Amino acid sequence: MAKINIEKSFLTDNKSVYNFMSQPGLGLYIPLYQRDYSWDTENIIQLLDDIAKGINRITTERDEKEIRFLGTIITLVEANRNNIYPKDPQAVPSRIEKLIDGQQRLSTIAILATLIAKQLYEIQKKVKENNEIFPAISEICSIWTQKLIDIFSFDLNRGNPPRKPKIIRGNKDFWTRDKSVEEAYKSPVANYLGAFIEAHFSEEKNYPKVSREQHGKILYQNIRAMENWLKSCIINAHVNNTDEFVPAWDILEVFSQEALWDYEREELVEIIKQKDFTTNRTNSYILSELVQLLIVCHYLLDRCCFTVIQPTDEDWAFDMFQSLNATGTPLTAIETFKPAVVNEVDSNGGGFKESLTEQNFKKIEDLFSDANTAQQKSRRTNDYLTSFFVAYNLKRTNIFYCLRSFK
């Protein structure tokens, strides 16, 4: 029997959000046995609160070493493109990683990146070409927008637009070269990312509006919570007069200008220090908005980090999924049971995809379609199992009496 080298069984690395998500050609593929996007508003508020508190801690305590650990991400490099289903052969990323653990966090970060990019665009629009700060604003916004684009998309280098959603869900979505967003991306997160990318690279930039009907209650509420945080807490921090978030001038006293806009721009700092907030169109007002938004970009992309674990064997990855649910909402019984069913059917050579087993399991999942929280799903599981066993035992009892009568 060959000796197992445990040290080489799992590749581990520590990466910032940007270093992990911006890998060239990287597409993240959520296996079909994974649960849907299910982070609730409490999870979102916790993430946003962690970001705000981290930035405040740096400015108040002068803690330049401050970072935010966002837990463990488990991925498996997918070398066999035949394992991606459905797929457009002309639009498969050059690097695919199956997302075994961490999809809730990474999906949320990708969504947050789109909303920050949208706010950068809104700030840039307020500055006219004849304004003295126009060249600087354009350059700064362009640099950070490109970084954010790398978070929620990858460059396929073909198609229109050539950028594609960073994250899709197996059995529901497929990366496409030219097909419509509605045809290719069925899951709420991938559909939203696809629509946002399409809008961002159009001339009109009519960014998608999220609805309960199209994207579901969870994504709708989460995006509203993130947008409200960005607008009321971050962008307006210089006029809020609260301790909720630090204003631009305090940020500039602590953080290096290189962290915000690559090199020193003292002319912009002086305009901010004037604190001319008579209207929301003054240069002081606009630059303060920008600095407060950029520090969130810097903290999220450069100071938030993961430990990335990559098992070298697919079976080990599957075992890790079952045993580890890092920092996320606990798996319900049905969500724990599904990967075991998928693994059992696949290991017997039948294949789970498009099988009768998948059809039957889909019927079970449909019973939980209106249950949004883990508590609701657990309660629903107990209700259905109780009903099933009552009916099953009654059926056995009836058969028993029928057999006795026949005798």
Side-chain angles (χ1 to χ4, degrees), residues 15-23 26 73 75 97 106 308:
K15 288 183 177 292
S16 68
V17 166
Y18 183 73
N19 286 342
F20 175 72
M21 298 287 277
S22 67
Q23 296 176 77
L26 173 64
I73 302 296
T75 70
E97 293 187 18
L106 294 182
V308 182

Side-chain angles (χ1 to χ4, degrees), residues 44-277:
I44 300 299
I45 291 174
Q46 182 63 60
L47 174 63
L48 302 180
D49 193 47
D50 285 345
I51 293 172
K53 285 182 177 178
I55 295 170
N56 288 342
R57 187 177 298 111
I58 295 173
T59 55
T60 57
E61 299 178 11
R62 302 298 198 267
D63 184 4
E64 297 181 359
K65 296 181 180 180
E66 161 73 18
I67 63 171
R68 178 64 56 178
F69 180 60
L70 298 181
T72 301
I73 302 296
I74 303 175
T75 70
L76 180 71
V77 176
E78 181 55 77
N80 187 353
R81 294 189 174 191
N82 292 327
N83 290 332
I84 304 302
Y85 176 86
K87 70 172 178 289
D88 176 351
Q90 299 182 37
V92 180
S94 58
R95 180 181 177 85
I96 301 173
E97 293 187 18
K98 281 186 177 178
L99 193 48
I100 307 301
D101 189 83
Q103 64 134 328
Q104 305 293 335
R105 284 161 287 156
L106 294 182
S107 296
T108 300
I109 288 170
I111 294 165
L112 180 56
T114 66
L115 300 177
I116 296 174
K118 180 181 176 182
Q119 291 303 320
L120 282 176
Y121 173 71
E122 295 297 331
I123 290 175
Q124 190 174 358
K125 272 201 317 181
K126 293 167 68 174
V127 182
K128 304 302 180 183
E129 289 190 27
N130 60 355
N131 191 320
E132 61 176 329
I133 66 171
F134 177 82
I137 291 287
S138 298
E139 180 181 327
I140 294 166
C141 288
S142 176
I143 292 171
W144 277 106
T145 299
Q146 185 56 54
K147 288 184 176 181
L148 293 165
I149 289 171
D150 288 337
I151 300 298
F152 61 78
S153 71
F154 71 92
D155 193 354
L156 185 66
N157 292 312
R158 55 185 176 274
N160 185 28
R163 285 275 173 172
K164 308 300 174 186
K166 177 71 70 174
I167 304 173
I168 68 168
R169 181 171 297 277
N171 222 38
K172 289 186 178 180
D173 312 314
F174 63 93
W175 290 294
T176 181
R177 174 173 175 163
D178 296 308
K179 293 187 183 299
S180 69
V181 169
E182 298 305 320
E183 186 176 357
Y185 308 112
K186 303 293 185 182
S187 70
V189 172
N191 182 273
Y192 167 76
L193 293 178
F196 187 92
I197 293 166
E198 191 172 73
H200 184 79
F201 288 96
S202 67
E203 291 186 9
E204 298 81 9
K205 286 187 169 49
N206 293 323
Y207 291 113
K209 295 182 178 180
V210 180
S211 67
R212 291 175 182 263
E213 294 74 20
Q214 182 178 3
H215 298 97
K217 178 181 177 182
I218 290 176
L219 184 58
Y220 172 77
Q221 291 182 336
N222 289 353
I223 286 180
R224 287 192 62 185
M226 286 186 273
E227 284 185 323
N228 181 64
W229 179 75
L230 286 171
K231 292 177 181 178
S232 63
C233 176
I234 306 304
I235 294 177
N236 289 329
H238 59 295
V239 292
N240 281 345
N241 295 319
T242 68
D243 295 331
E244 194 172 4
F245 196 76
V246 288
W249 49 90
D250 285 343
I251 292 170
L252 288 167
E253 281 188 8
V254 178
F255 288 88
S256 69
Q257 292 189 47
E258 287 82 357
L260 296 173
W261 42 51
D262 290 341
Y263 57 89
E264 292 190 2
R265 299 174 187 263
E266 289 302 324
E267 70 281 7
L268 301 185
V269 175
E270 290 304 314
I271 293 174
I272 291 172
K273 288 181 178 179
Q274 293 171 11
K275 300 182 182 179
D276 177 12
F277 304 145

Side-chain angles (χ1 to χ4, degrees), residues 8 33 36 41 43 48 84 163 195 229 265 294 309 352:
K8 295 183 179 180
Y33 56 76
D36 292 336
T41 307
N43 296 121
L48 302 180
I84 304 302
R163 285 275 173 172
W229 179 75
R265 299 174 187 263
L294 293 185
I309 301 177
F352 183 79

Side-chain angles (χ1 to χ4, degrees), residues 180-394:
S180 69
V181 169
E182 298 305 320
E183 186 176 357
Y185 308 112
K186 303 293 185 182
S187 70
V189 172
N191 182 273
Y192 167 76
L193 293 178
F196 187 92
I197 293 166
E198 191 172 73
H200 184 79
F201 288 96
S202 67
E203 291 186 9
E204 298 81 9
K205 286 187 169 49
N206 293 323
Y207 291 113
K209 295 182 178 180
V210 180
S211 67
R212 291 175 182 263
E213 294 74 20
Q214 182 178 3
H215 298 97
K217 178 181 177 182
I218 290 176
L219 184 58
Y220 172 77
Q221 291 182 336
N222 289 353
I223 286 180
R224 287 192 62 185
M226 286 186 273
E227 284 185 323
N228 181 64
W229 179 75
L230 286 171
K231 292 177 181 178
S232 63
C233 176
I234 306 304
I235 294 177
N236 289 329
H238 59 295
V239 292
N240 281 345
N241 295 319
T242 68
D243 295 331
E244 194 172 4
F245 196 76
V246 288
W249 49 90
D250 285 343
I251 292 170
L252 288 167
E253 281 188 8
V254 178
F255 288 88
S256 69
Q257 292 189 47
E258 287 82 357
L260 296 173
W261 42 51
D262 290 341
Y263 57 89
E264 292 190 2
R265 299 174 187 263
E266 289 302 324
E267 70 281 7
L268 301 185
V269 175
E270 290 304 314
I271 293 174
I272 291 172
K273 288 181 178 179
Q274 293 171 11
K275 300 182 182 179
D276 177 12
F277 304 145
T278 51
T279 74
N280 63 0
R281 295 281 177 173
T282 66
N283 286 348
S284 292
Y285 198 107
I286 294 171
L287 285 170
S288 294
E289 290 181 320
L290 181 63
V291 167
Q292 287 147 199
L293 194 59
L294 293 185
I295 202 61
V296 171
C297 289
H298 165 66
Y299 191 86
L300 175 64
L301 272 56
D302 301 327
R303 290 179 180 261
C304 289
C305 59
F306 313 106
T307 292
V308 182
I309 301 177
Q310 288 190 332
T312 55
D313 183 276
E314 187 163 6
D315 289 337
W316 295 341
F318 182 81
D319 289 341
M320 290 187 75
F321 169 78
Q322 290 188 299
S323 62
L324 180 63
N325 185 35
T327 71
T329 305
L331 294 174
T332 60
I334 190 66
E335 291 164 339
T336 304
F337 183 55
K338 184 173 182 178
V341 173
V342 174
N343 192 49
E344 177 67 21
V345 175
D346 285 344
S347 64
N348 288 332
F352 183 79
K353 297 173 185 176
E354 298 184 324
S355 66
L356 179 60
T357 304
E358 182 187 27
Q359 295 174 27
N360 290 334
F361 208 96
K362 178 64 167 58
K363 294 177 183 178
I364 298 174
E365 290 179 318
D366 288 343
L367 298 175
F368 296 84
S369 59
D370 61 341
N372 296 316
T373 66
Q375 185 178 9
Q376 290 173 339
K377 290 178 181 179
S378 295
R379 189 181 302 116
R380 186 70 54 83
T381 300
N382 291 334
D383 291 343
Y384 282 130
L385 286 178
T386 301
S387 301
F388 171 79
F389 281 113
V390 168
Y392 179 73
N393 287 332
L394 180 61

